[in-house]
Amino acid sequence: MAVTVQIKRVYEAADAADGLRVLVDRLWPRGIAKAKLHHDLWCKDLGPSTDLRNWFGHQPERWPQFRRDYTAELQADSAQALMRSIAQAVQGRATITLLYGAKDTEHNQAVVLADELRTFLKNHPDLITAS
């Protein structure tokens, strides 16, 4: 089963087509009550390290280095294990929606993570369980 990975800001309305909704920010998004955010998982440890997040500061000129460094962090065994748990949680849904809080829709960790998760799923199709 092919699974689509998409990204969406937490401030956008949830939709049935979102499939498995995974919050990927290390910090809870501002202005959103925990009871109000429709999500299935919160994988805060998949977010960039605090040092990397603080250094990046959502400054677009730092994006290329941030992308390289964050991609390297996602190769760690702990991050790979979390991606494995997301793949196993899909359970027959066709879509994984990574939720993030950043204002910049092009320069944020969900963009990098979505690419890495797509590659992970392509390399581990056996993890996706059909229901």
Side-chain angles (χ1 to χ4, degrees):
M1 170 184 186
V3 175
T4 301
V5 178
Q6 65 184 11
I7 64 172
K8 191 173 192 178
R9 289 192 74 219
V10 295
Y11 306 102
E12 296 176 52
D15 186 279
D18 289 345
L20 181 72
R21 292 173 51 91
V22 183
L23 177 60
V24 295
D25 284 352
R26 189 168 288 273
L27 304 175
W28 191 262
R30 292 180 186 180
I32 303 249
K34 288 186 180 178
K36 297 283 184 182
L37 180 62
H38 299 286
H39 66 292
D40 299 298
L41 300 170
W42 180 16
C43 292
K44 60 183 167 183
D45 291 333
L46 265 181
S49 66
T50 300
D51 287 345
L52 181 57
R53 181 177 46 82
N54 288 336
W55 171 82
F56 175 49
H58 296 282
Q59 297 178 39
E61 64 275 9
R62 293 184 175 177
W63 174 248
Q65 185 64 45
F66 171 80
R67 187 176 187 104
R68 280 190 296 274
D69 292 351
Y70 183 39
T71 298
E73 288 184 358
L74 291 172
Q75 301 312 306
D77 289 344
S78 58
Q80 294 290 302
L82 286 169
M83 284 192 264
R84 180 178 301 274
S85 68
I86 291 170
Q88 291 170 330
V90 170
Q91 297 179 353
R93 290 177 266 198
T95 306
I96 298 170
T97 300
L98 303 179
L99 304 170
Y100 67 96
K103 290 179 184 176
D104 188 333
T105 58
E106 295 177 33
H107 306 101
N108 65 71
Q109 80 275 3
V111 170
V112 178
L113 180 55
D115 288 344
E116 290 300 307
L117 187 56
R118 287 181 192 110
T119 299
F120 183 89
L121 294 171
K122 182 180 172 187
N123 293 333
H124 299 88
D126 54 306
L127 294 176
I128 301 169
T129 307
S131 60

